[in-house]
Amino acid sequence: LHIAVLASILSLIIYWIIRDRYRVRNLNGKHVFITGCDTGLGNSLAKWLDKRGFCVIAACATEKGSQELQCCSSLSLKTVNLNLADSNSIARAVVFVTEETAGKGLFGLVSSAEGSAPVGPTDWLRIEDFHSVMDVSLLGLIEITLKLLPLLKKAEGRVVNLINAKGLMAFVGGGYSLSKWGMEAFSDTLRIEMRHFGVKVSIVEHSFFKAEEVNSDIIEKYLFKLWNRLTPEIRDSYGEKYLVE
């Protein structure tokens, strides 16, 4: 029994060593489309893949984000404006990606964009508050993935969905955690279905980053905004002490 256990452990170690040494070859002509490239992980990944020779197509929500990314990248990196809450914007981005890939298909789709605010106690929120987050983080992600699947099938590519682990802890109301759990379910289902076409689907549950501390100011701003629009009845039921704490 001990020999069998040791053999299993040794086999796993060998497998991990071989797997971690594996690298994608012949990067020239391999297109990767990344959403959420204005800042954060999407921005860093776009630069990293660009330096390694991938044909990066970076989607930014703002013109400023596009310009700043282009200034510190190679000429092969292309940017496109994308609002994941707008179907027309998504359609234009898909046309751009289709033209850039020029019949080769899409090697990779990385979804990094997310809507994060507002968050707060559930009965402080309205349905449009849920839409403002989920239309970007979940429904927009689903829509652009569906429209790019033909290109991904053609290249037998891969889908990589970046999910902030803090969104998997339901400690506050709003659409943020709902969108992250929805992304998990969508990714798991898609992985099973796309296996037939040679398309891989992965989830990367990343942890906390120092750069995200700036979001605390945004969250606090929205909390006060939500508090100020509450009816006197709901506000009295919580009390001023609740807001301060």
Side-chain angles (χ1 to χ4, degrees):
L1 180 61
H2 290 143
I3 294 175
V5 171
L6 289 173
S8 299
I9 294 173
L10 182 61
S11 298
L12 283 173
I13 292 173
I14 294 173
Y15 166 74
W16 284 331
I17 292 173
I18 294 174
R19 183 197 63 178
D20 291 345
R21 292 183 64 184
Y22 177 76
R23 295 291 182 271
V24 176
R25 306 299 178 185
N26 301 319
L27 304 184
N28 185 37
K30 285 184 167 62
H31 290 81
V32 180
F33 179 57
I34 310 170
T35 68
C37 293
D38 294 81
T39 58
L41 289 179
N43 183 277
S44 298
L45 181 61
K47 296 173 184 175
W48 191 85
L49 292 179
D50 177 52
K51 289 179 180 178
R52 277 151 184 80
F54 284 94
C55 299
V56 177
I57 306 172
C60 298
T62 65
E63 189 63 34
K64 178 183 177 183
S66 295
Q67 292 175 354
E68 290 179 349
L69 181 57
Q70 287 175 325
C71 286
C72 55
S73 304
S74 74
L75 295 176
S76 67
L77 183 143
K78 307 296 182 182
T79 61
V80 59
N81 291 336
L82 175 63
N83 177 5
L84 282 172
D86 181 357
S87 292
N88 292 327
S89 179
I90 290 174
R92 288 192 294 270
V94 170
V95 170
F96 184 85
V97 173
T98 303
E99 292 174 348
E100 286 294 321
T101 54
K104 297 178 182 178
L106 187 61
F107 180 76
L109 166 62
V110 182
S111 292
S112 176
E114 61 177 20
S116 58
V119 294
T122 300
D123 62 347
W124 291 21
L125 302 171
R126 301 170 183 169
I127 192 62
E128 56 264 29
D129 298 322
F130 288 87
H131 276 294
S132 67
V133 178
M134 297 184 69
D135 285 352
V136 173
S137 295
L138 181 58
L139 298 179
L141 173 144
I142 292 173
E143 184 174 355
I144 199 162
T145 302
L146 294 177
K147 290 185 175 180
L148 289 173
L149 280 180
L151 295 178
L152 289 160
K153 288 180 182 178
K154 189 166 188 176
E156 293 190 353
R158 63 268 298 129
V159 177
V160 181
N161 290 328
L162 305 183
I163 299 178
N164 195 323
K166 69 183 180 184
L168 301 177
M169 298 179 288
F171 61 89
V172 67
Y176 191 75
S177 291
L178 294 177
S179 68
K180 300 310 169 190
W181 283 105
M183 286 174 66
E184 292 264 349
F186 175 71
S187 302
D188 289 342
T189 303
L190 190 67
R191 182 183 305 112
I192 297 170
E193 297 168 345
M194 288 297 107
R195 187 179 301 153
H196 174 74
F197 301 98
V199 175
K200 299 179 178 64
V201 179
S202 301
I203 298 170
V204 176
E205 294 178 355
H206 60 85
S207 188
F208 304 92
F209 293 89
K210 186 176 182 180
E212 293 174 352
E213 291 177 0
V214 296
N215 291 341
S216 61
D217 294 333
I218 299 175
I219 293 172
E220 184 175 322
K221 175 184 174 182
Y222 269 101
L223 280 174
F224 279 104
K225 182 178 178 181
L226 294 174
W227 174 262
N228 290 330
R229 80 178 188 190
L230 291 177
T231 63
E233 181 183 7
I234 296 179
R235 195 181 300 165
D236 291 343
S237 70
Y238 281 91
E240 293 283 349
K241 184 180 178 182
Y242 184 93
L243 176 65
V244 173
E245 291 179 350

